[in-house]
Amino acid sequence: MSVVINHKIIGQNIRHAREKQQLLQKQFAAYLGVSSSYAGRIERGVNKLNISLLYDVSLVLHTPLSELLCGCCPQAALGEEEAFQKNHTMKSCLLYTSPSPRDRQKS
């Protein structure tokens, strides 16, 4: 299976979490040890994050990785129907899988 990750959505989630922590992009970049322009490219989804940097972002923003990857919001903020829909679609929010060539050979 191949996995496609939507870095633009991850970047939007990172920006939202940063703003929620009331951090300026310059401060956020300093905590991560990167330039402000690099932090901006992360938030726009231009630069891809490796897992190590994504983990550091999670620590700096005091935000679970699941929230950065899927934008999962606390259930209390949602109505019952919205919470159900959010949970139902969370697993596929950013990932698309397709059979790999190896899987196709087994068919």
Side-chain angles (χ1 to χ4, degrees):
M1 271 193 237
S2 62
V3 176
V4 178
I5 298 174
N6 189 329
H7 293 278
K8 187 173 183 177
I9 291 175
I10 293 172
Q12 290 170 351
N13 294 338
I14 290 171
R15 174 177 286 149
H16 176 74
R18 176 182 59 78
E19 290 172 347
K20 190 170 144 186
Q21 293 292 321
Q22 299 181 334
L23 281 176
L24 297 174
Q25 195 174 68
K26 186 175 182 177
Q27 295 168 313
F28 174 60
Y31 285 131
L32 290 177
V34 300
S35 69
S36 293
S37 61
Y38 186 80
R41 289 192 303 270
I42 289 171
E43 290 183 354
R44 290 189 309 277
V46 174
N47 284 26
K48 297 177 182 178
L49 288 169
N50 63 41
I51 192 68
S52 177
L53 187 54
L54 184 60
Y55 179 73
D56 290 344
V57 168
S58 170
L59 293 177
V60 167
L61 298 177
H62 308 285
T63 305
L65 285 170
S66 62
E67 190 171 324
L68 296 177
L69 293 172
C70 296
C72 307
C73 53
Q75 299 304 321
L78 300 174
E80 193 173 318
E81 180 62 27
E82 288 178 291
F84 173 79
Q85 290 298 326
K86 189 80 168 174
N87 285 334
H88 185 67
T89 59
M90 187 170 80
K91 291 179 184 174
S92 62
C93 63
L94 298 175
L95 303 178
Y96 169 78
T97 59
S98 61
S100 72
R102 183 185 69 233
D103 293 333
R104 282 185 230 139
Q105 290 174 357
K106 292 180 183 179
S107 303

